[in-house]
Amino acid sequence: MPALPTEAASTPATSEQSEHGLRRQLGLGDLIFAQVLSVVGSAWVGIAAALGHAQTFVWLVSMACFYLPMAVAVYYLNRAMPLEGGLYTWARRGFGDTIGFLVAWNVWTYALLDIATIFSQLPSEFAFMVGRRMAWLPENHAVVLTALMLIVVVMAVAALLGLGLGKWIHNLSSAAMILAFALLIAAPIWVKLHGVPMPYHPVELHLPAATATNLALISQTLIASSGLEYLAILAGETHHPQRNISRSVVLASPIIIAMFVLGTSSVLAFHEYTGTAINFVAPIPQTLMLAFGDHGVGSLLSRLAILLLQIRILGAANFMFAGVTRLPMTAGWDHLVPGWLAHLHPRFRTPSNAILVGAFAVAGLLLLSYAGSHASEAFALLNNASNACYSLAYVAMFLIPIAGAIAIRSQIPRWVKWVMIPGVVAMVFAVCLQAYPFLDVPNPMVFAIKIVLTTLALNALGYGFYRIRNTRRVAVL
């Protein structure tokens, strides 16, 4: 079993630099903004709103069964192991190299797919912001891909420059997201003040109907609040990570929960009142257009909110990309991947080779996502596949306090393992239902097969790479 972290290993030689030469640049305020940016996505309020008046009940259940176990796990695992790599490091020290590598592989795969999914929202939201004359844009793949490839290049350059720049991008993007949600949450009040008799019930407790579609939507909502642990990947670049990352979980959680529940209520109210079908790719821009209209001050407000969401999308992708580059770096330190992936730029102290690999991977996924599929189906396919990979990584995280190394469990209160059990059950449920499409697709069975085969193939590829790499490393030693 790998050695557990010691105080010397987890405490940097100076307050400005970690033992591997990484620069500590993230403070508590940066971490709170990053938590909101990582967890709250603009598409989830549309997916949850499709559950109708059961959305509040489902959100509360998902918070109890998944968000609470996640928050508790991150809080205590980070305090026990405040090390760069986050969940990868926790899993490796809890279960050994093989499980640790597969967890890193699934998180890395999820992050790459999620970045591509985030970028896939840009054309639809931009079209909403500009107006009807740009309605053709989301389906014009040549124009979309050209623009997205340029964005990937800019993202890679920003990642190379490091978190000194990146944290300001994240903070600005998170603030933009919070402001956009504030407009969304205030929209029902706006229309009521203007004399519109729209029914609005922000908190209702109705059970969802037992249908296959609702089960698929519930599985999506379960994973919607994921992401609190992602920030721990950057522990080696955080001031006082043992204290500040755990505190950021506590301080950001009320904000996150309010944004999800109240934001979904607004989406549901406007779509029920107008009878408009929910756009799952861009539900917030669509709702704001319904609320504020296409002219006057209302139009300016709705377009401002859409612009804020565009800023959030770019910032969220930049934040996810930071994790994409740090996971190979930390695995390189542990000799589980080629050492050149851990190479740090001599000036910026960022993993330049891992950044290059990540940029090419995102570009390749974007090309695949638009090859022969409509934009909405491409979004759903990427979203489900990435969530399945991420759910598997979460199962491992929840199992660490239950069955991980004794030396780790001894540092965590005994009651924590009981809180982890609902998390394990919720993630197994989510994995089983990820293959069912909540959007209309030409052939649901083909869609399900794609999801299952993609998830299995990605894990088989990762395990095969690990076995070949491990065999060669042992042979050399």
Side-chain angles (χ1 to χ4, degrees):
M1 179 64 62
L4 288 171
T6 63
E7 186 66 23
S10 60
T11 303
T14 71
S15 62
E16 298 299 326
Q17 197 171 71
S18 69
E19 62 169 320
H20 289 283
L22 300 173
R23 294 173 180 169
R24 295 187 181 275
Q25 302 185 81
L26 301 178
L28 179 60
D30 304 319
L31 300 179
I32 295 172
F33 275 121
Q35 293 288 24
V36 174
L37 183 65
S38 177
V39 176
V40 182
S42 59
W44 296 117
V45 291
I47 293 171
L51 289 162
H53 295 279
Q55 62 92 7
T56 303
F57 177 82
V58 173
W59 272 126
L60 293 177
V61 170
S62 69
M63 294 297 170
C65 293
F66 173 67
Y67 189 87
L68 176 62
M70 173 182 62
V72 171
V74 174
Y75 185 93
Y76 284 104
L77 289 173
N78 172 72
R79 291 181 69 85
M81 296 171 283
L83 302 169
E84 189 86 354
L87 179 51
Y88 154 69
T89 302
W90 305 340
R92 178 175 174 268
R93 292 173 182 268
F95 296 117
D97 286 352
T98 303
I99 298 299
F101 177 85
L102 288 176
V103 166
W105 178 266
N106 275 282
V107 174
W108 188 74
T109 301
Y110 156 77
L112 288 171
L113 288 167
D114 198 50
I115 292 170
T117 304
I118 288 172
F119 281 162
S120 74
Q121 298 173 31
L122 281 171
S124 292
E125 296 201 357
F126 181 77
F128 271 111
M129 181 176 68
V130 175
R132 295 177 182 176
R133 64 181 180 274
M134 294 296 293
W136 56 269
L137 180 63
E139 296 300 330
N140 190 316
H141 296 173
V143 174
V144 167
L145 285 172
T146 299
L148 293 182
M149 293 305 164
L150 290 174
I151 292 174
V152 170
V153 172
V154 174
M155 179 179 67
V157 172
L160 181 65
L161 296 176
L163 292 176
L165 169 65
K167 68 178 182 180
W168 294 110
I169 296 174
H170 307 156
N171 293 349
L172 174 64
S173 301
S174 183
M177 183 68 163
I178 293 171
L179 182 55
F181 262 78
L183 288 171
L184 175 67
I185 293 169
I189 301 173
W190 167 277
V191 299
K192 283 184 173 295
L193 289 176
H194 285 75
V196 179
M198 182 185 74
Y200 174 58
H201 307 285
V203 179
E204 295 180 290
L205 295 177
H206 296 280
L207 293 175
T211 65
T213 299
N214 276 354
L215 286 175
L217 290 168
I218 291 170
S219 73
Q220 294 288 325
T221 306
L222 274 177
I223 200 70
S225 57
S226 63
L228 281 178
E229 85 302 326
Y230 199 83
L231 183 58
I233 295 175
L234 306 175
E237 296 161 89
T238 299
H239 293 292
H240 310 295
Q242 186 178 50
R243 179 186 66 194
N244 283 342
I245 291 178
S246 296
R247 288 176 66 190
S248 73
V249 171
V250 176
L251 295 174
S253 290
I255 302 171
I256 291 168
I257 294 170
M259 290 172 72
F260 273 133
V261 175
L262 298 179
T264 304
S265 297
S266 291
V267 173
L268 175 62
F270 281 102
H271 284 81
E272 280 198 333
Y273 182 70
T274 62
T276 306
I278 298 173
N279 183 316
F280 290 112
V281 177
I284 295 179
Q286 183 190 36
T287 301
L288 292 176
M289 282 295 186
L290 294 175
F292 299 127
D294 295 325
H295 58 277
V297 176
S299 177
L300 291 176
L301 286 175
S302 63
R303 294 178 194 279
L304 170 63
I306 295 168
L307 176 61
L308 294 173
L309 290 176
Q310 298 275 287
I311 295 172
R312 177 265 165 190
I313 287 174
L314 295 173
N318 182 270
F319 177 71
M320 297 293 294
F321 194 70
V324 162
T325 62
R326 270 58 175 187
L327 284 172
M329 178 185 71
T330 50
W333 293 343
D334 298 326
H335 309 291
L336 301 185
V337 298
W340 58 269
L341 284 169
H343 171 73
L344 297 180
H345 190 279
R347 177 182 176 185
F348 303 117
R349 310 307 295 168
T350 51
S352 52
N353 291 337
I355 289 171
L356 186 62
V357 170
F360 275 109
V362 171
L365 286 171
L366 286 170
L367 289 171
L368 288 175
S369 70
Y370 283 96
S373 298
H374 290 92
S376 60
E377 185 179 351
F379 166 75
L381 181 61
L382 287 172
N383 184 56
N384 283 29
S386 65
N387 286 342
C389 291
Y390 209 14
S391 298
L392 293 173
Y394 268 114
V395 170
M397 184 180 77
F398 291 139
L399 287 175
I400 295 172
I402 298 173
I406 295 176
I408 293 176
R409 285 185 283 146
S410 66
Q411 301 179 63
I412 300 173
R414 296 181 65 180
W415 60 266
V416 170
K417 68 179 180 181
W418 299 108
V419 179
M420 298 300 102
I421 293 175
V424 174
V425 174
M427 287 302 93
V428 171
F429 173 76
V431 170
C432 293
L433 288 178
Q434 287 302 324
Y436 190 89
F438 61 89
L439 291 175
D440 291 329
V441 296
N443 192 324
M445 181 60 68
V446 172
F447 181 91
I449 291 173
K450 286 180 180 179
I451 296 295
V452 172
L453 291 181
T454 299
T455 305
L456 292 176
L458 286 170
N459 278 273
L461 180 63
Y463 181 73
F465 173 84
Y466 170 79
R467 293 299 302 173
I468 294 172
R469 168 71 184 172
N470 187 61
T471 301
R472 290 179 178 175
R473 182 163 61 92
V474 171
V476 171
L477 294 175

Coordinates of all heavy atoms in Angstrom, one line a residue, residues 128 187 190-191 196 198 266-279 283-294 298 302 306:
F128 N -29.3 32.9 -29.3 CA -30.3 33.5 -28.5 C -30.0 35.0 -28.2 O -30.8 35.9 -28.2 CB -30.5 32.8 -27.1 CG -31.5 31.7 -27.2 CD1 -31.1 30.4 -27.1 CD2 -32.8 31.9 -27.4 CE1 -32.0 29.3 -27.1 CE2 -33.8 30.9 -27.4 CZ -33.3 29.6 -27.3
A187 N -36.8 37.1 -12.5 CA -37.6 37.3 -13.6 C -39.1 37.1 -13.3 O -39.9 37.9 -13.8 CB -37.2 36.3 -14.7
W190 N -40.3 40.3 -11.9 CA -40.4 41.3 -12.9 C -41.7 41.2 -13.7 O -42.4 42.3 -13.8 CB -39.2 41.1 -13.9 CG -39.3 41.8 -15.2 CD1 -40.0 41.5 -16.3 CD2 -38.6 43.1 -15.5 NE1 -39.8 42.4 -17.3 CE2 -39.0 43.4 -16.8 CE3 -37.8 44.0 -14.8 CZ2 -38.5 44.6 -17.5 CZ3 -37.4 45.1 -15.4 CH2 -37.7 45.4 -16.7
V191 N -42.1 40.1 -14.1 CA -43.3 40.0 -14.9 C -44.6 40.2 -14.1 O -45.6 40.8 -14.6 CB -43.4 38.6 -15.7 CG1 -42.3 38.4 -16.6 CG2 -43.5 37.5 -14.7
V196 N -48.5 40.7 -15.3 CA -48.7 39.4 -16.0 C -49.1 38.4 -14.9 O -48.4 38.1 -13.9 CB -47.4 38.9 -16.6 CG1 -47.6 37.5 -17.3 CG2 -46.9 39.9 -17.7
M198 N -48.9 35.4 -14.1 CA -48.3 34.1 -14.2 C -48.2 33.3 -12.9 O -47.7 33.9 -11.9 CB -46.8 34.3 -14.8 CG -46.1 33.0 -15.0 SD -44.4 33.3 -15.6 CE -43.6 33.8 -14.0
S266 N -38.0 29.2 -11.8 CA -38.2 30.3 -12.8 C -38.4 29.7 -14.2 O -39.3 30.0 -14.9 CB -37.1 31.3 -12.8 OG -37.1 32.0 -11.6
V267 N -37.5 28.7 -14.5 CA -37.6 28.1 -15.8 C -38.9 27.4 -16.0 O -39.6 27.5 -17.0 CB -36.4 27.1 -16.0 CG1 -36.6 26.3 -17.3 CG2 -35.1 27.8 -16.1
L268 N -39.3 26.7 -14.9 CA -40.6 25.9 -15.0 C -41.8 26.9 -15.1 O -42.7 26.6 -15.9 CB -40.7 25.1 -13.7 CG -42.0 24.3 -13.6 CD1 -42.2 23.3 -14.7 CD2 -42.1 23.6 -12.2
A269 N -41.8 28.0 -14.3 CA -42.9 28.9 -14.4 C -43.1 29.5 -15.7 O -44.3 29.5 -16.2 CB -42.7 30.0 -13.3
F270 N -42.1 29.9 -16.4 CA -42.2 30.6 -17.7 C -42.6 29.6 -18.8 O -43.4 29.9 -19.7 CB -41.0 31.3 -18.1 CG -40.8 32.7 -17.4 CD1 -40.0 32.8 -16.3 CD2 -41.6 33.7 -17.8 CE1 -39.9 34.0 -15.6 CE2 -41.5 35.0 -17.2 CZ -40.6 35.1 -16.1
H271 N -42.1 28.4 -18.7 CA -42.4 27.4 -19.8 C -43.8 26.9 -19.6 O -44.4 26.6 -20.6 CB -41.3 26.3 -19.8 CG -40.0 26.8 -20.4 ND1 -39.1 27.5 -19.7 CD2 -39.5 26.6 -21.7 CE1 -38.1 27.7 -20.5 NE2 -38.3 27.2 -21.7
E272 N -44.3 26.7 -18.4 CA -45.6 26.3 -18.2 C -46.6 27.4 -18.7 O -47.6 27.1 -19.3 CB -45.9 25.9 -16.8 CG -45.4 24.5 -16.4 CD -46.0 24.0 -15.1 OE1 -46.4 24.9 -14.3 OE2 -46.1 22.8 -15.0
Y273 N -46.3 28.6 -18.3 CA -47.2 29.7 -18.6 C -47.3 30.0 -20.1 O -48.4 30.3 -20.7 CB -46.7 31.0 -17.9 CG -47.6 32.2 -18.1 CD1 -48.9 32.2 -17.6 CD2 -47.2 33.3 -18.9 CE1 -49.7 33.3 -17.8 CE2 -48.1 34.4 -19.1 CZ -49.3 34.4 -18.6 OH -50.1 35.5 -18.8
T274 N -46.2 29.9 -20.8 CA -46.2 30.1 -22.3 C -46.4 28.9 -23.1 O -46.7 29.0 -24.3 CB -44.8 30.8 -22.7 OG1 -43.8 29.8 -22.4 CG2 -44.6 32.1 -22.0
G275 N -46.3 27.7 -22.5 CA -46.5 26.5 -23.3 C -45.3 26.2 -24.2 O -45.5 25.4 -25.2
T276 N -44.1 26.8 -23.9 CA -43.0 26.6 -24.8 C -42.2 25.4 -24.3 O -42.0 25.2 -23.1 CB -42.1 27.8 -24.7 OG1 -42.8 29.0 -25.0 CG2 -40.9 27.7 -25.7
A277 N -41.7 24.6 -25.3 CA -40.9 23.4 -25.0 C -39.5 23.9 -24.5 O -39.0 24.9 -25.0 CB -40.7 22.5 -26.2
I278 N -39.0 23.2 -23.5 CA -37.7 23.6 -22.9 C -36.5 23.3 -23.8 O -36.4 22.2 -24.4 CB -37.5 22.9 -21.5 CG1 -38.6 23.3 -20.5 CG2 -36.1 23.3 -21.0 CD1 -38.5 22.5 -19.3
N279 N -35.7 24.3 -24.0 CA -34.4 24.1 -24.8 C -33.4 23.6 -23.8 O -32.9 24.3 -23.0 CB -34.0 25.4 -25.4 CG -32.7 25.2 -26.3 OD1 -31.8 24.5 -25.9 ND2 -32.7 25.8 -27.5
P283 N -31.4 26.6 -21.6 CA -32.7 26.9 -21.0 C -32.7 28.3 -20.4 O -33.8 28.9 -20.4 CB -32.8 25.8 -19.9 CG -31.4 25.4 -19.6 CD -30.7 25.5 -20.9
I284 N -31.6 28.8 -19.9 CA -31.6 30.1 -19.2 C -31.8 31.2 -20.3 O -32.7 32.1 -20.1 CB -30.4 30.3 -18.4 CG1 -30.4 29.3 -17.2 CG2 -30.3 31.8 -17.8 CD1 -29.1 29.4 -16.3
P285 N -31.0 31.3 -21.3 CA -31.3 32.3 -22.4 C -32.7 32.2 -22.9 O -33.4 33.3 -23.1 CB -30.3 32.0 -23.5 CG -29.2 31.3 -22.7 CD -29.9 30.5 -21.7
Q286 N -33.3 31.0 -23.1 CA -34.6 30.9 -23.6 C -35.6 31.5 -22.6 O -36.5 32.2 -23.0 CB -34.9 29.4 -23.9 CG -36.3 29.2 -24.5 CD -36.7 27.7 -24.5 OE1 -36.3 27.0 -23.6 NE2 -37.4 27.3 -25.5
T287 N -35.4 31.2 -21.3 CA -36.3 31.6 -20.3 C -36.3 33.2 -20.2 O -37.3 33.8 -20.0 CB -36.0 31.0 -18.9 OG1 -36.1 29.6 -19.1 CG2 -37.0 31.5 -17.8
L288 N -35.1 33.7 -20.2 CA -34.9 35.2 -20.1 C -35.6 35.9 -21.3 O -36.1 37.0 -21.1 CB -33.5 35.5 -20.0 CG -32.8 35.1 -18.7 CD1 -31.3 35.4 -18.7 CD2 -33.5 35.7 -17.5
M289 N -35.5 35.3 -22.4 CA -36.2 35.9 -23.6 C -37.7 35.9 -23.4 O -38.4 36.8 -23.7 CB -35.8 35.2 -24.9 CG -34.5 35.5 -25.4 SD -34.4 37.2 -26.0 CE -32.8 37.3 -26.7
L290 N -38.2 34.8 -22.8 CA -39.7 34.7 -22.5 C -40.1 35.7 -21.5 O -41.1 36.3 -21.5 CB -40.0 33.3 -22.0 CG -39.9 32.2 -23.1 CD1 -40.1 30.8 -22.4 CD2 -40.8 32.3 -24.2
A291 N -39.2 36.0 -20.5 CA -39.5 36.9 -19.4 C -39.4 38.4 -19.8 O -40.3 39.2 -19.5 CB -38.5 36.6 -18.3
F292 N -38.3 38.7 -20.5 CA -38.0 40.1 -20.8 C -38.4 40.6 -22.2 O -38.4 41.8 -22.4 CB -36.5 40.4 -20.5 CG -36.1 40.2 -19.0 CD1 -35.1 39.4 -18.8 CD2 -36.9 40.7 -18.0 CE1 -34.7 39.1 -17.4 CE2 -36.5 40.5 -16.7 CZ -35.4 39.7 -16.4
G293 N -38.7 39.7 -23.1 CA -39.1 40.0 -24.4 C -37.9 40.4 -25.3 O -36.8 40.3 -25.0
D294 N -38.3 40.8 -26.6 CA -37.3 41.0 -27.6 C -37.1 42.5 -27.9 O -36.4 42.9 -28.9 CB -37.8 40.4 -28.9 CG -37.8 38.9 -28.8 OD1 -36.9 38.3 -28.1 OD2 -38.7 38.3 -29.4
G298 N -36.2 45.3 -21.3 CA -36.3 43.9 -21.1 C -35.4 43.1 -22.0 O -34.7 42.2 -21.6
S302 N -32.1 40.7 -20.9 CA -32.0 39.3 -21.3 C -30.7 39.1 -22.1 O -30.0 38.1 -21.9 CB -33.2 38.9 -22.2 OG -33.3 39.6 -23.4
I306 N -27.5 36.7 -21.1 CA -26.9 35.7 -22.0 C -25.4 35.9 -22.2 O -24.7 35.0 -22.2 CB -27.7 35.7 -23.4 CG1 -29.2 35.3 -23.2 CG2 -27.0 34.8 -24.4 CD1 -30.0 35.6 -24.3

